[in-house]
């Protein structure tokens, strides 16, 4: 019926947060969603709600004011989630490194899966990064499936569901797959 | 019992490109008071300019204050340092600087127009304008080597020369952009559903614009004749056909029309520059270290940008002060919101074209 595993890869939703960048990378993210580069052909939609999104695009070195908001947004996103650091200053601090109101890069606070370098990044690189993130998203959702499979599917006989022998041994799933 | 409700907008919101928080106090649908908080992206660039970087590198650092008006920031800083060093740059370098300044203004205004449409709920128009904006971005990439952060302006001139192929491409693309913008002009003035969201909403009167110290397209839409390009003689704007664009209604629609007219004017200026580019070198070497104080003003896409630079004869500067356009407009912003419907707030906010990374630095 509704196979989440299959459709999540086909239509990942993006959450975008500016943690103190110069707007350069943000307008390039907008440009990569627009007709010429058209990231939306991969099913990507830009959404403002962290509770509905799968991919987290962060720009900017983390300023002290935006730090708590960044971590809050990350914790509100449901698993599986992928974090992409867009731009040099997001990866390492870049030109803003060691300024007094700046944490150097987002990976001090949240785990990052894909780093995209460049100041400002070009839309081609953003597309590359998101496609890479889709692979990671698929891998992560497979890992989640593994942990959840403690039961086999129940068999039904004459309309009566038989749930007696549904518990799985550890490692039995891997042999089946 | 309390009769009003508080609605926060931001710091993270679908209609915002960058973090800013507005607290709206609403009575039913109407906004009765606004509180704004703009400091989310403060990084401490002014301080770093005096402690971390030498004066010849700061032109590239202050470009990172804002990605949209990067060229105006580095141009203003460079002009201030050139004033202190006392050199004269060649005429060709000046013209190339104006060329990039106006290209930057075109793409910034187009981004603002598309964003206003998106926040008013017209997604198709957003896509159309963003698609056409790529024509300008293409020229910028050919001319400078990068799409957004150009690093084109250097103390003493510019970093890259223009050749005949690039000049031909610029003329071709700008002609194409002009045709597309004529189409938007029709859409913005005649489209019935856009007029519902734009006409008569978010109005600022001429007196208010004057007393709240509004600048840029916000003030020009209310009929205030204020444009730094008309007042400075450092770059020859009047030679190449600059004309002030004003409207009188002061609402969102008037701001959009001012921006569209400015795009036409900028296209005309770019064409004039490319067709009549003077011969000569693009770079003159300036010697010495900055000593003394200088103030420079320029017209960024959002209004007047002011730089104050103080040097003491060494490679490190004593003070760099940046006064940005959005910072000066915030009192006017909060005044406009009062009395409007909350449902219109994102569209009004986008029509200001606020640049918070400029404001917070």
């Amino acid at each position: 019926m509704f196979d989440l595993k299959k459709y999540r890869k086909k239509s990942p939703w993006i959450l975008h947060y500016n943690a103190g960048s110069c707007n350069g990378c943000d307008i390039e993210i907008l440009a990569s969603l627009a007709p010429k580069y058209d990231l939306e052909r991969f099913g990507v939609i830009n959404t403002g709600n962290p509770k509905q999104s799968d991919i987290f695009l962060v720009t900017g070195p983390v300023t002290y004011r935006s730090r708590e908001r960044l971590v809050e947004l990350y914790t509100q996103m449901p698993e599986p989630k992928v974090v992409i650091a867009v731009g040099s200053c997001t990866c390492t601090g870049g030109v803003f490194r060691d300024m007094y109101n700046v944490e150097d890069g987002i990976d001090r606070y949240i785990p990052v899966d894909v780093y995209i370098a460049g100041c400002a990044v070009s839309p081609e690189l953003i597309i590359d990064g998101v496609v890479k993130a889709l692979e990671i998203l698929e891998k992560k959702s497979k890992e989640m499936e593994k942990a959840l499979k403690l039961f086999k599917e129940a068999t039904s006989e004459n309309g009566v569901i038989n749930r007696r022998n549904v518990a799985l041994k550890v490692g039995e799933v891997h042999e089946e797959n | 019992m309390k009769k009003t409700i508080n609605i926060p907008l931001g710091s993270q919101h679908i209609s915002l490109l960058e973090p800013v928080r507005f607290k709206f106090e609403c009575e039913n649908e109407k906004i009765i008071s606004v509180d704004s908080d703009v400091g989310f992206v403060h990084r401490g660039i002014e301080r770093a300019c005096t402690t971390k970087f030498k004066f010849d590198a700061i032109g590239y650092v202050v470009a990172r204050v804002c990605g949209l008006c990067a060229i105006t920031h580095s141009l203003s800083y460079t002009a201030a340092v050139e004033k202190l060093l006392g050199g004269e740059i060649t005429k060709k370098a000046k013209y190339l600087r104006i060329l990039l300044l106006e290209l930057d203004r075109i793409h910034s205004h187009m981004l603002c127009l598309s964003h206003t449409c998106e926040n008013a709920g017209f997604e198709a128009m957003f896509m159309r304008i963003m698609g056409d904006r790529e024509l300008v971005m293409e020229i910028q990439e050919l001319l400078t080597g990068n799409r957004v952060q150009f690093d084109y302006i250097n103390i003493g001139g510019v970093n890259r020369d223009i050749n005949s192929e690039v000049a031909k491409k610029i003329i071709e693309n700008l002609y194409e952009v002009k045709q597309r913008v004529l189409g938007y002009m029709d859409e913005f003035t005649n489209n019935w559903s856009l007029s519902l969201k734009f006409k008569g909403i978010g109005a600022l009167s001429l007196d208010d614009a004057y007393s709240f110290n509004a600048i840029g397209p916000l003030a020009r839409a209310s009929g205030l004749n204020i444009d730094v390009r008309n007042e400075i003689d450092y770059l020859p704007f009047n030679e190449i056909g600059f004309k002030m664009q004003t409207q009188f209604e002061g609402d969102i629609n008037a701001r959009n029309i001012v921006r569209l007219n400015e795009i036409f004017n900028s296209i005309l200026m770019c064409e004039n520059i490319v067709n009549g580019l003077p011969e000569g070198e693009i770079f003159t070497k300036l010697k010495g270290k900055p000593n003394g104080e200088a103030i420079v003003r320029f017209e960024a896409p959002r209004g007047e940008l002011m730089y104050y630079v103080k040097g003491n004869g060494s490679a490190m500067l004593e003070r760099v002060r940046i006064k940005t356009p959005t910072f000066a407009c915030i009192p006017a912003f909060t005044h406009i919101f009062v009395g409007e419907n909350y449902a219109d707030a994102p569209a009004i906010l986008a029509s200001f074209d606020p640049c918070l990374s400029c404001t917070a630095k």
Side-chain angles (χ1 to χ4, degrees):
Chain A
M1 209 178 76
F2 182 64
D3 191 354
L4 201 64
K5 194 173 79 180
K6 190 175 165 191
Y7 297 124
R8 187 181 284 134
K9 196 200 162 195
K10 296 286 180 189
S11 142
W13 284 16
I14 281 182
L15 176 69
H16 163 227
Y17 185 62
N18 177 339
S21 99
C22 71
N23 277 351
C25 297
D26 304 271
I27 58 176
E28 292 296 65
I29 288 173
L30 267 192
S32 66
L33 290 166
K36 187 177 176 188
Y37 295 99
D38 204 9
L39 195 50
E40 291 192 354
R41 67 177 184 263
F42 297 109
V44 166
I45 288 182
N46 190 12
T47 167
N49 191 346
K51 296 190 175 171
Q52 295 173 334
S53 38
D54 307 299
I55 297 178
F56 193 18
L57 286 174
V58 190
T59 57
V62 184
T63 59
Y64 286 150
R65 286 290 299 282
S66 60
R67 186 178 55 192
E68 272 72 32
R69 276 103 187 152
L70 177 77
V71 179
E72 180 79 7
L73 284 173
Y74 179 75
T75 48
Q76 283 187 7
M77 283 172 66
E79 292 282 350
K81 54 195 168 190
V82 182
V83 179
I84 308 182
V86 182
S88 293
C89 55
T90 322
C91 302
T92 64
V95 72
F96 306 121
R97 199 176 176 86
D98 295 336
M99 284 187 188
Y100 67 82
N101 207 31
V102 166
E103 303 276 356
D104 305 331
I106 63 166
D107 51 3
R108 286 190 179 183
Y109 288 96
I110 57 176
V112 180
D113 298 296
V114 184
Y115 293 90
I116 311 177
C119 183
V121 292
S122 62
E124 290 96 337
L125 283 173
I126 293 177
I127 291 171
D128 265 7
V130 172
V131 171
K132 182 84 186 165
L134 289 184
E135 285 170 20
I136 295 174
L137 189 70
E138 198 181 21
K139 207 190 281 175
K140 278 193 174 177
S141 37
K142 263 188 188 161
E143 275 171 17
M144 278 180 64
E145 294 285 324
K146 267 183 207 167
L148 286 171
K149 270 204 174 174
L150 297 172
F151 291 103
K152 277 187 263 186
E153 284 193 10
T155 54
S156 67
E157 288 169 18
N158 304 330
V160 181
I161 298 172
N162 180 9
R163 295 175 63 87
R164 274 182 198 141
N165 292 321
V166 290
L168 274 175
K169 277 182 191 168
V170 174
E172 207 171 342
V173 186
H174 300 291
E175 286 160 23
E176 279 179 7
N177 292 342
Chain B
M1 204 182 108
K2 206 178 160 198
K3 281 187 180 168
T4 57
I5 43 170
N6 288 323
I7 306 178
L9 181 83
S11 64
Q12 188 267 339
H13 192 265
I14 179 73
S15 74
L16 297 174
L17 271 178
E18 35 193 346
V20 58
R21 190 178 62 213
F22 285 96
K23 267 188 199 157
F24 295 108
E25 198 180 350
C26 298
E27 203 176 55
N28 296 334
E29 285 284 301
K30 297 280 181 220
I31 299 168
I32 56 171
S33 79
V34 191
D35 186 21
S36 64
D37 182 356
V38 293
F40 285 95
V41 286
H42 176 66
R43 287 150 290 180
I45 291 176
E46 284 182 359
R47 167 90 176 156
C49 287
T50 56
T51 55
K52 213 180 134 190
F53 300 101
K54 288 182 179 166
F55 80 97
D56 49 356
I58 292 176
Y60 305 129
V61 178
V62 290
R64 268 76 182 173
V65 170
C66 172
L68 276 167
C69 26
I71 196 70
T72 332
H73 277 277
S74 54
L75 177 57
S76 310
Y77 173 77
T78 314
V81 169
E82 278 163 5
K83 252 188 186 177
L84 293 179
L85 296 180
E88 185 68 24
I89 63 164
T90 58
K91 202 165 185 187
K92 186 174 183 185
K94 280 186 182 176
Y95 273 74
L96 285 175
R97 283 175 178 191
I98 302 182
L99 174 64
L100 197 59
L101 191 62
E102 295 306 319
L103 285 176
D104 190 58
R105 193 184 312 279
I106 294 171
H107 98 77
S108 174
H109 279 347
M110 285 175 92
L111 183 87
C112 171
L113 289 169
S114 65
H115 202 226
T116 319
C117 287
E118 195 199 15
N119 283 3
F122 200 167
E123 188 85 22
M125 193 73 189
F126 165 75
M127 287 298 179
R128 204 172 129 193
I129 303 181
M130 286 300 281
D132 297 342
R133 180 172 159 270
E134 291 298 327
L135 291 166
V136 188
M137 303 303 275
E138 205 176 297
I139 307 175
Q140 286 177 344
E141 191 169 7
L142 278 176
L143 189 65
T144 66
N146 205 355
R147 282 166 53 94
V148 175
Q149 290 287 3
F150 311 109
D151 293 347
Y152 185 64
I153 290 176
N154 198 353
I155 296 173
V158 294
N159 282 338
R160 272 199 189 197
D161 205 351
I162 186 172
N163 59 22
S164 58
E165 282 169 34
V166 176
K168 193 167 155 249
K169 185 79 180 166
I170 289 175
I171 293 290
E172 276 174 15
N173 276 14
L174 283 181
Y175 179 76
E176 190 70 19
V177 172
K178 203 173 183 175
Q179 303 306 314
R180 306 285 173 91
V181 177
L182 277 170
Y184 310 150
M185 197 73 177
D186 180 44
E187 206 73 35
F188 275 100
T189 44
N190 297 332
N191 190 311
W192 182 75
S193 55
L194 270 182
S195 75
L196 284 179
K197 273 283 185 184
F198 287 164
K199 280 187 184 159
I201 288 171
L204 181 72
S205 67
L206 177 57
D207 290 341
D208 284 344
Y210 190 74
S211 58
F212 282 104
N213 199 5
I215 48 178
L218 181 66
R220 289 198 283 279
S222 302
L224 198 60
N225 282 325
I226 177 168
D227 195 318
V228 184
R229 284 177 287 176
N230 207 19
E231 298 160 15
I232 54 172
D233 54 358
Y234 171 71
L235 289 183
F237 281 107
N238 288 323
E239 265 175 41
I240 52 170
F242 165 72
K243 258 179 104 178
M244 179 93 74
Q245 308 295 336
T246 47
Q247 291 284 319
F248 299 98
E249 292 86 3
D251 54 358
I252 299 180
N253 189 46
R255 275 169 229 147
N256 289 336
I257 302 294
V258 164
R259 292 207 171 90
L260 285 166
N261 282 333
E262 279 188 13
I263 291 176
F264 284 129
N265 191 229
S266 293
I267 290 174
L268 176 75
M269 283 155 80
C270 289
E271 283 171 350
N272 284 347
I273 290 169
V274 174
N275 288 333
L277 196 66
E279 291 290 314
E281 291 293 312
I282 56 165
F283 186 75
T284 27
K285 193 152 176 64
L286 301 180
K287 284 181 182 166
K289 301 267 163 45
N291 195 359
E293 298 173 295
I295 288 181
V296 163
R297 300 187 303 146
F298 267 103
E299 181 79 8
R302 289 160 189 75
E304 175 191 316
L305 174 71
M306 191 204 81
Y307 263 70
Y308 166 78
V309 175
K310 185 180 180 191
N312 54 2
S314 68
M316 288 295 190
L317 295 172
E318 256 182 30
R319 182 81 172 102
V320 177
R321 168 84 180 113
I322 309 167
K323 201 200 105 202
T324 52
T326 311
F327 180 71
C329 281
I330 288 172
F333 288 0
T334 47
H335 176 73
I336 291 171
F337 275 123
V338 175
E340 300 292 333
N341 284 337
Y342 176 75
D344 296 328
I348 297 174
L349 182 59
S351 79
F352 299 148
D353 199 6
C355 180
L356 282 318
S357 50
C358 269
T359 315
K361 300 181 280 285

